[in-house]
Amino acid sequence: VTAKASWHAMLNYMGGAFIYLRANYAERLRVLARSWAQANHDEPVDAGEGDEERLADGAAEVAVRMPGDEAMAENQPKKPARKRGGWYGLKPRSNGDRGTPGSDADSGKDNKGANTSVPRNFEDMFRFNSAVMGFGSRVWMKEVLSAFEAIVTNISNPHRFQEEVDVLALRLAKYTAKINLPEYKAVMLASLRSLVKDWGALHEVAWTWLWETLQRALDAVVGKPASQEAALHRFLGSLDEKERAVIR
């Protein structure tokens, strides 16, 4: 009788946990997908019933698999290249914008801001806000930014999500100093609040959950590539040319 009651209690607990994860994380994934589409001016696609179950299952697996905060500063190996279109969504002045004697620009009409544009997507808004918030020199943020779309769109696929985290960890490994990941979170949330028109408490919870999931995953692997590289060199050094050719 005791064993039967114990099994009933355990199964009830597991069933309740699965229902909770499905109900909560499926909604978070829908919020993430819609708001990410808005932030990048794409048309959001509502998930069907079967897709909702798949997303909920994936989110539950991510929530269960991720283990469970970072410090400061970073190292800058090189300066970022200046883009042709101007920094942080600002359009460069053209010859037509400068005005000529007797033109509107020269006669005193207010054309301030005519040569600028408000960032219209997440990447441009992030670069703009990072400069405004004093993080423009954080080169490591650009590494996270370049991988961020793949991370967001694959948050419901735990295996692909972990692959993206591993690749990002390799990119961040070239920075020898500690990286303050919460700085990225601050700029990320500020950018999303500016781009998502109906931003609310659900968005705040969903994006905070995504970032905390990503940060826990990064914390679990950051620092390991250096030791793994040494082990890889030893392994490759133990192979002959034929075996190396097979691996390649």
Side-chain angles (χ1 to χ4, degrees), residues 46-64:
D46 291 333
E49 183 177 349
D51 292 332
E52 289 183 1
E53 292 184 1
R54 176 183 57 79
L55 292 176
D57 291 341
E61 188 175 347
V62 169
V64 171

Side-chain angles (χ1 to χ4, degrees), residues 118-152:
V118 177
R120 302 282 294 171
N121 57 55
F122 178 79
E123 182 175 352
D124 291 342
M125 183 64 77
F126 185 94
R127 293 178 183 275
F128 177 81
N129 282 331
S130 65
V132 171
M133 296 170 70
F135 300 141
S137 61
R138 306 293 199 272
V139 181
W140 63 266
M141 282 191 177
K142 296 175 178 61
E143 300 287 359
V144 183
L145 181 61
S146 66
F148 198 62
E149 181 174 7
I151 289 170
V152 173

